[in-house]
Amino acid sequence: MPRMIVCLKYAVDVSQIKVDAATRKLLTADAPRKISDFDKNALEEAVKIREKHGGEVIALTATAENASTALREALAMGADKAYMVQASALQNADTMGTALILAEAIKKIGSFDLILCGEASIDSYSGQVGPRLGELLKVPVVTYVNKLELEGDVLKAERSLDECIEVVRVKMPALITVTKEINVPRVPTLMDVIKASRKELKTITPADLGISADLPTTIKVMDVSAPKVERKKVKISGENPKEIAENLIKTLIKDGVLGG
Amino acid sequence: MSAFKGVWVFSENLDLAMEMLSKGRELANKLQTELAAIVIGYNVKEQAEELAKYGTDRVYVVDSPNCRNLQTEPYLSALMHLASKQPPEIILIGSTRRGRELAARLATRLKVGLVQDVFRLDINDDGKITAARVVYGGSGIALTTYQIKPQIATVPPRTFDKPKPSEKKAEIVYESLELEEPKTEVVEIRTAETAKARIEEASVVICGGRGVAKKDDFKMLEELANILGGQVGATRPLAEDRKWFHEWIGLSGKKIKPEIYIGCGISGMIQHIAGIRDSKVIVAINNDPNAPIFEMADYIVVGDMYQIVPALIESLRTVFKK
């Protein structure tokens, strides 16, 4: 029966980011956070595997903030227990630092058969932590999985790549990253939420993992600003669809967009 | 003395490798160092010969049957072997899904940083890279630099223009290396049902969004695309939730920069906008006057696409006498 660890990012909810009108800087510190979308797919997949094959699903997050409400949600969605590595150093950590922390946490949690991550996070969409974690734990990595089957200790995974679908087999222990297409994450019922409140949620500090509070950084972010939009925003009007269409074409020809 | 030397370019996608060579040339010139194309694969002599014509100083070739099925591990170990012989300053890797995984794993083995999907690369006053990428689902542009070398970045297709072939042909160096065995077994490869031509190449793109009620209605968009000599595309919800298409335009899908983009029934989620941002002209048709896509559009058409698109087709037929 597989022991599965699902890595969840407590990510910035990108749909709720505001921009400082004067400086064009993104006000990310004020934006609400949530479990990154693709990570929910990873969790759902692990729960589905447990429902079919048994085993255990552990939710894990590494964060500078207190992510306990997000982890309670993960428990309500079906995780058996949850661990939160909380460290202020993660505030400015890059993917290398995050992967290092997760790897140490996983070593402390113990043996595993399968680690599941989302293909990337909604906020930075970098897709690094999963593959980096696989390297650090020295297990096979299978990315962009949109279909997964378990056959004994072998995974059969369908990967959605740029120009093809690739089906691979890999022996566990392994790490996979999943796409959004793999499933539809369940919405917990009230009963699930009540049950989740009784499940184990443990906080881990870097000291518990025997690592220093300072994380190595490889990348420095110098600036994050809203992109400049320089569009004409010409409104095309007309009495009816036919007139609007004709006016659009006339305008496009006049502006040299279409050859008349 | 700097131990790090040279700019490397690698992609399993030949066109993408060529595009990166033009940027690589510029970076190498600024740093007064050499540019190398790395070719890894099985039976890749032709690819190496081809890349040698595109302004690189050298082509390093690692040809091995272990690379037959494109699994990451042999590629990774090939790059590690080469980097241990002469660590480069910069490694540019093509941002395909395979490339993104490879780059992240390579960066981990080299204990260095990686910036994925850069759309701009410059050398700053410290002689390091400044890389720009889209973050927060398209709401922000992050400018990043590196703390240590090698500096690795992935570059999406069509970010840079392909260079013109040069008269001078680069030296091709065949490396014989012990490569790691793949850790996965490839049992099947199905070529995805993709459009006849690549959407990234189209000069006109007619894109449908959630306002398109059924897949059959794309015929109307195709008709418009045919008249304008373009192609149709879709947003991620149409590809994924409704499973109408295999590919989509957006941050996580194809990024396009056509001469004309016409969005039909598209609200303009930031993730989609990130995929069309570089379009020369954006026309948006939506019945919601507050649709966010209008903030990004050159030409705003408030109206029902089911009325506007047929009217456009008819008027264009008259104008172009088709």
Side-chain angles (χ1 to χ4, degrees):
Chain A
M1 290 196 293
R3 193 163 193 245
M4 294 169 281
I5 300 175
V6 183
C7 300
L8 305 170
K9 181 171 183 182
Y10 191 47
V12 172
D13 184 345
V14 293
S15 62
Q16 300 203 45
I17 293 181
K18 294 194 172 61
V19 179
D20 182 313
T23 62
R24 305 194 59 77
K25 301 269 182 238
L26 297 197
L27 305 170
T28 51
D30 306 334
R33 288 174 179 257
K34 62 171 192 174
I35 300 174
S36 180
D37 299 16
F38 306 102
D39 298 350
K40 276 196 179 175
N41 296 96
L43 176 59
E44 175 66 29
E45 199 60 22
V47 173
K48 278 166 81 178
I49 291 172
R50 188 198 56 208
E51 284 168 353
K52 203 167 163 191
H53 302 272
E56 189 183 16
V57 177
I58 300 164
L60 169 66
T61 190
T63 169
E65 291 81 18
N66 185 340
S68 42
T69 46
L71 285 177
R72 284 286 164 216
E73 188 188 350
L75 290 167
M77 284 178 68
D80 297 296
K81 53 179 158 184
Y83 291 93
M84 173 169 69
V85 187
Q86 204 180 354
S88 54
L90 283 161
Q91 187 74 56
N92 298 311
D94 55 27
T95 56
M96 180 80 160
T98 306
L100 279 170
I101 290 252
L102 289 173
E104 290 307 316
I106 287 168
K107 284 176 196 160
K108 190 171 168 74
I109 290 168
S111 66
F112 62 86
D113 299 290
L114 182 59
I115 295 174
L116 301 99
C117 303
E119 65 168 80
S121 61
I122 44 162
D123 50 1
S124 60
Y125 200 74
S126 189
Q128 294 194 44
V129 169
R132 279 185 180 270
L133 186 55
E135 280 296 316
L136 293 172
L137 296 169
K138 297 191 164 41
V139 292
V141 172
V142 184
T143 47
Y144 303 102
V145 174
N146 67 6
K147 204 172 158 193
L148 188 65
E149 278 168 48
L150 201 61
E151 299 163 351
D153 62 349
V154 173
L155 293 167
K156 190 175 167 204
E158 204 172 283
R159 304 177 68 202
S160 164
L161 298 176
D162 301 74
E163 316 288 341
C164 69
I165 299 287
E166 182 188 88
V167 186
V168 303
R169 285 163 59 89
V170 64
K171 205 167 173 301
M172 295 197 290
L175 180 146
I176 67 157
T177 76
V178 306
T179 67
K180 211 173 155 217
E181 300 102 277
I182 193 166
N183 56 40
V184 179
R186 69 195 64 191
V187 177
T189 63
L190 184 61
M191 266 314 285
D192 295 330
V193 175
I194 293 166
K195 267 194 242 160
S197 66
R198 290 195 289 266
K199 290 181 182 172
E200 184 185 339
L201 194 168
K202 230 174 154 175
T203 304
I204 306 173
T205 65
D208 296 334
L209 301 174
I211 48 180
S212 89
D214 290 328
L215 287 169
T217 56
T218 57
I219 294 291
K220 192 170 138 197
V221 179
M222 299 182 295
D223 179 65
V224 180
S225 303
K228 282 198 193 79
V229 180
E230 282 161 5
R231 293 284 170 184
K232 286 194 188 134
K233 296 193 200 173
V234 176
K235 196 164 176 230
I236 308 292
S237 47
E239 290 295 312
N240 51 54
K242 186 169 184 284
E243 206 178 295
I244 293 174
E246 284 169 0
N247 285 341
L248 174 62
I249 293 163
K250 265 186 226 156
T251 313
L252 291 177
I253 291 173
K254 179 174 67 86
D255 292 355
V257 178
L258 281 182
Chain B
M1 187 196 86
S2 161
F4 301 95
K5 215 172 82 186
V7 176
W8 289 3
V9 163
F10 168 77
S11 179
E12 77 284 357
N13 174 326
L14 187 64
D15 287 322
L16 186 45
M18 286 178 188
E19 290 160 19
M20 289 190 293
L21 280 181
S22 63
K23 190 69 194 182
R25 180 77 270 165
E26 182 195 314
L27 299 176
N29 288 353
K30 279 188 189 160
L31 294 168
Q32 296 182 310
T33 188
E34 281 194 354
L35 174 64
I38 314 286
V39 177
I40 307 168
Y42 184 45
N43 290 331
V44 284
K45 187 164 181 278
E46 266 178 48
Q47 281 187 39
E49 298 278 343
E50 188 62 22
L51 277 182
K53 296 178 205 157
Y54 286 86
T56 179
D57 296 305
R58 231 172 288 277
V59 181
Y60 292 104
V61 187
V62 182
D63 205 313
S64 160
N66 265 358
C67 297
R68 195 185 303 117
N69 289 320
L70 302 166
Q71 292 108 318
T72 309
E73 292 80 16
Y75 286 76
L76 198 48
S77 66
L79 288 166
M80 285 304 288
H81 278 300
L82 294 172
S84 65
K85 281 190 193 175
Q86 172 53 64
E89 283 194 68
I90 296 169
I91 308 176
L92 302 182
I93 293 176
S95 182
T96 58
R97 286 189 158 188
R98 292 185 199 279
R100 285 164 58 85
E101 178 196 318
L102 173 71
R105 295 175 67 180
L106 179 68
T108 309
R109 289 197 188 183
L110 290 169
K111 299 189 172 65
V112 298
L114 159 67
V115 183
Q116 301 266 39
D117 296 318
V118 303
F119 65 85
R120 207 168 62 221
L121 278 171
D122 292 302
I123 302 289
N124 61 28
D125 295 340
D126 301 335
K128 285 186 181 156
I129 289 183
T130 303
R133 72 183 299 263
V134 173
V135 289
Y136 298 113
S139 310
I141 305 290
L143 285 182
T144 50
T145 189
Y146 295 76
Q147 309 279 37
I148 36 178
K149 291 176 182 176
Q151 309 163 91
I152 311 180
T154 59
V155 178
R158 311 273 294 165
T159 303
F160 304 117
D161 291 328
K162 215 188 260 187
K164 290 202 170 62
S166 65
E167 309 251 305
K168 196 179 124 238
K169 205 174 149 220
E171 180 194 2
I172 300 180
V173 184
Y174 285 86
E175 299 275 352
S176 172
L177 302 171
E178 279 286 317
L179 299 187
E180 204 174 304
E181 294 280 336
K183 283 192 180 138
T184 59
E185 178 202 348
V186 176
V187 288
E188 191 189 345
I189 291 182
R190 295 199 300 271
T191 308
E193 182 200 322
T194 44
K196 285 147 259 160
R198 282 157 46 86
I199 190 98
E200 297 97 316
E201 318 272 338
S203 61
V204 177
V205 173
I206 315 294
C207 194
R210 275 184 289 199
V212 183
K214 49 185 198 297
K215 192 182 176 187
D216 214 35
D217 297 338
F218 260 81
K219 282 188 183 140
M220 177 171 83
L221 303 187
E222 269 162 22
E223 208 176 329
L224 181 58
N226 282 340
I227 297 172
L228 294 170
Q231 281 195 55
V232 296
T235 57
R236 187 163 180 166
L238 267 53
E240 289 216 322
D241 302 340
R242 300 189 194 166
K243 313 233 181 271
W244 289 357
F245 304 99
H246 176 74
E247 60 179 42
W248 62 89
I249 294 163
L251 182 65
S252 57
K254 305 282 179 187
K255 291 174 196 72
I256 56 168
K257 37 181 172 180
E259 295 293 313
I260 308 173
Y261 162 97
I262 304 179
C264 306
I266 293 175
S267 64
M269 304 257 292
I270 43 177
Q271 289 88 345
H272 178 69
I273 298 296
I276 64 165
R277 186 180 305 286
D278 293 332
S279 304
K280 204 158 170 196
V281 171
I282 293 180
V283 181
I285 304 168
N286 198 304
N287 54 13
D288 174 8
N290 298 316
I293 195 168
F294 290 145
E295 288 300 310
M296 264 302 290
D298 295 294
Y299 300 99
I300 296 169
V301 180
V302 181
D304 180 0
M305 59 162 281
Y306 281 94
Q307 295 182 339
I308 303 286
V309 174
L312 269 177
I313 292 169
E314 204 191 313
S315 305
L316 282 167
R317 284 230 170 89
T318 319
V319 175
F320 292 126
K321 310 213 168 21
K322 275 191 183 173

